[in-house]
Amino acid sequence: MKNRLLIFLSPFILLIGCSQDKSEKPTTPLSEQELQFEVYDSLVVDYLGNLTLMDINPAGNRFLLIDQNTEDILITDEKGTILHQYNLSQEGPDQILGNRLGVAKFMDNEKYLVPGSKGLTTYTLDGKRSDSFKPEFTGLSSLVIPSSQSHYVWGNQVIVQMPGRFSDLGQQGIDLQLKSKRLEMVDLNTGEYQAIIPFPQESKFSSDTKEFGALDFYCSFTVSGDSLHLSFRNEAKIFSYSLKNLENPPLVKPIPFPNFQERNTDKKPTNGGFNARDFFLGSVNAVLRLTEQELLISYLSGLDDETANQIISEAGSDFNKMFDEANKLTEGGLVIFDGKSISKLIEIPEILGNLNKVNSKEEIWFSLNFSEAENDYSVIYKTRLVNK
């Protein structure tokens, strides 16, 4: 995959899903499987811009898209015809609450939810605000990845990553590691917010002696059935919780990456910010539900201190050169994880850009790779996973 580091550092993280016929039971061990995405359909929209697909309604006849450059939201039908177009980031009665924290998702066929740094908002298809849910604390947005899966609806509750409740503890430090919680549970009936998921004891980030950087413990999570699976950026582990009892200790599953560079805790991290070295540590960039037994993981192995510091020094203030050189040496990409082993890196055709949405192993949507093709219209590709 080209420019892996630059893709991660853009406001839109690449999340890659994969597929296999449900009726087929592979005889090849997961660690030996060689997989790739196959394009077999597309959504073509008469719109010149950088569109990404956020969600599809349950009926499958309304597509929720956003222009990554302008934040314009588009609603189309299954043929790509634009039914509505508007911008919710601009001032007005329907403006979202704060900065958008992640992709919007349908609540049902006629309504969707947008997570913002200052609260959750639901909208009808024509862009009119239906309801809003504000927390009692002031939301922060020091690190926002608008393309991330930052919330999940579970019955009448929403689980969301919304920082700010523990701002009195700072953005990082021992107190934050010991006293804060990572996610919020929002009751849609009462509007009440409840902090959930402290740093698990099995995580290095629960340390009372070693301090980590804020980017190190940025978390990704996904929901599969009655389980919540969570990861931290600079730790090769998955923490799996029961949604029915989030107070219980999680099931911990180490991810067997062949190489993963963790922070040297002998050196104190930058306080409340990031430096170039932070971006070249090993990173679990996203976890995504694939099946009840499998997760799709996007990761980079990172670079050791000596290599990273040499690249940073030689590049000076030229960030493009810095990441180009690092990209030649870092490993990683997209793999399947079944709780014990990981697959080989999944091959992605050059025409495909960022993964937008996974509906099933046979329905995985990607945006166009603009470096490989230029059109006067927008295309979202529908793919499935096949053996090479």
Side-chain angles (χ1 to χ4, degrees):
M1 184 189 305
K2 293 184 176 179
N3 299 322
R4 289 168 297 181
L5 287 164
L6 292 177
I7 287 173
F8 167 63
L9 289 171
S10 73
F12 306 92
I13 280 185
L14 177 62
L15 304 179
I16 303 302
C18 55
S19 167
Q20 183 171 347
D21 190 328
K22 292 181 180 178
S23 63
E24 178 185 351
K25 295 191 176 184
T27 56
T28 304
L30 178 61
S31 59
E32 298 177 15
Q33 292 182 35
E34 297 185 354
L35 305 167
Q36 64 182 4
F37 291 100
E38 176 185 75
V39 176
Y40 68 96
D41 202 352
S42 64
L43 178 76
V44 179
V45 183
D46 186 11
Y47 178 88
L48 183 58
N50 189 5
L51 284 186
T52 186
L53 173 66
M54 293 195 290
D55 203 7
I56 304 171
N57 72 347
N61 60 5
R62 295 294 180 264
F63 289 68
L64 178 63
L65 304 105
I66 192 165
D67 188 320
Q68 298 178 357
N69 296 329
T70 67
E71 287 287 296
D72 277 6
I73 289 178
L74 285 74
I75 305 290
T76 76
D77 62 16
E78 64 272 27
K79 296 180 180 179
T81 302
I82 299 174
L83 305 177
H84 303 283
Q85 181 178 343
Y86 41 80
N87 195 306
L88 300 177
S89 64
Q90 300 172 351
E91 291 187 10
D94 299 312
Q95 185 180 20
I96 65 172
L97 300 177
N99 296 315
R100 185 168 61 84
L101 294 178
V103 298
K105 294 182 182 180
F106 279 105
M107 303 283 289
D108 52 39
N109 287 321
E110 304 296 332
K111 189 165 58 178
Y112 63 90
L113 185 148
V114 181
S117 59
K118 296 182 180 180
L120 308 177
T121 315
T122 59
Y123 294 91
T124 54
L125 297 184
D126 58 0
K128 301 302 180 184
R129 182 184 292 183
S130 174
D131 208 346
S132 58
F133 306 87
K134 297 181 180 180
E136 65 273 18
F137 55 88
T138 300
L140 296 176
S141 55
S142 58
L143 177 60
V144 175
I145 304 175
S147 65
S148 67
Q149 306 283 329
S150 65
H151 82 279
Y152 285 85
V153 179
W154 186 55
N156 290 320
Q157 296 176 310
V158 177
I159 302 169
V160 62
Q161 182 171 191
M162 185 181 296
R165 182 185 291 273
F166 300 96
S167 58
D168 59 319
L169 300 176
Q171 295 185 41
Q172 65 187 53
I174 300 298
D175 279 351
L176 185 74
Q177 293 169 191
L178 296 179
K179 301 176 183 178
S180 69
K181 296 185 178 182
R182 300 293 86 205
L183 303 176
E184 296 284 335
M185 180 85 82
V186 186
D187 189 315
L188 296 179
N189 292 325
T190 65
E192 180 182 356
Y193 281 67
Q194 176 188 357
I196 58 173
I197 313 292
F199 285 112
Q201 290 298 313
E202 298 85 353
S203 169
K204 67 180 181 180
F205 298 119
S206 66
S207 173
D208 59 359
T209 59
K210 297 181 179 180
E211 180 180 332
F212 297 88
L215 189 60
D216 298 348
F217 50 76
Y218 181 86
C219 68
S220 299
F221 73 100
T222 189
V223 171
S224 175
D226 289 334
S227 297
L228 182 150
H229 308 286
L230 180 141
S231 69
F232 298 106
R233 183 179 180 271
N234 188 231
E235 187 168 36
K237 293 179 180 179
I238 297 292
F239 301 92
S240 298
Y241 296 82
S242 168
L243 285 172
K244 297 178 180 179
N245 191 346
L246 293 169
E247 298 301 319
N248 283 347
L251 177 64
V252 183
K253 304 172 184 177
I255 312 170
F257 296 131
N259 179 24
F260 193 79
Q261 295 292 325
E262 299 196 29
R263 177 180 292 280
N264 179 0
T265 53
D266 292 336
K267 301 178 181 178
K268 191 172 182 178
T270 303
N271 186 28
F274 320 119
N275 58 37
R277 175 68 187 108
D278 294 338
F279 292 114
F280 303 135
L281 293 170
S283 59
V284 178
N285 299 330
V287 295
L288 190 67
R289 177 192 182 277
L290 197 56
T291 69
E292 288 293 334
Q293 293 78 35
E294 297 173 326
L295 296 175
L296 193 289
I297 297 179
S298 169
Y299 87 100
L300 293 174
S301 63
L303 303 173
D304 60 55
D305 284 347
E306 181 179 356
T307 303
N309 290 333
Q310 181 178 348
I311 289 175
I312 294 168
S313 176
E314 293 177 354
S317 60
D318 188 342
F319 282 92
N320 286 334
K321 179 180 178 182
M322 184 186 305
F323 291 112
D324 284 343
E325 291 303 312
N327 187 60
K328 297 175 183 177
L329 299 176
T330 193
E331 303 167 354
L334 301 313
V335 295
I336 301 173
F337 177 53
D338 65 3
K340 296 180 180 179
S341 60
I342 60 174
S343 69
K344 295 182 178 180
L345 294 178
I346 302 170
E347 183 176 306
I348 306 170
E350 294 291 344
I351 195 65
L352 300 181
N354 293 348
L355 179 139
N356 291 174
K357 180 175 175 58
V358 177
N359 265 347
S360 70
K361 300 184 78 174
E362 292 292 323
E363 185 182 347
I364 304 163
W365 297 85
F366 286 84
S367 59
L368 172 70
N369 182 353
F370 286 94
S371 67
E372 295 296 324
E374 294 184 6
N375 298 325
D376 56 1
Y377 52 87
S378 296
V379 184
I380 307 295
Y381 289 106
K382 188 178 182 181
T383 74
R384 59 189 165 213
L385 197 72
V386 298
N387 291 312
K388 292 173 59 177

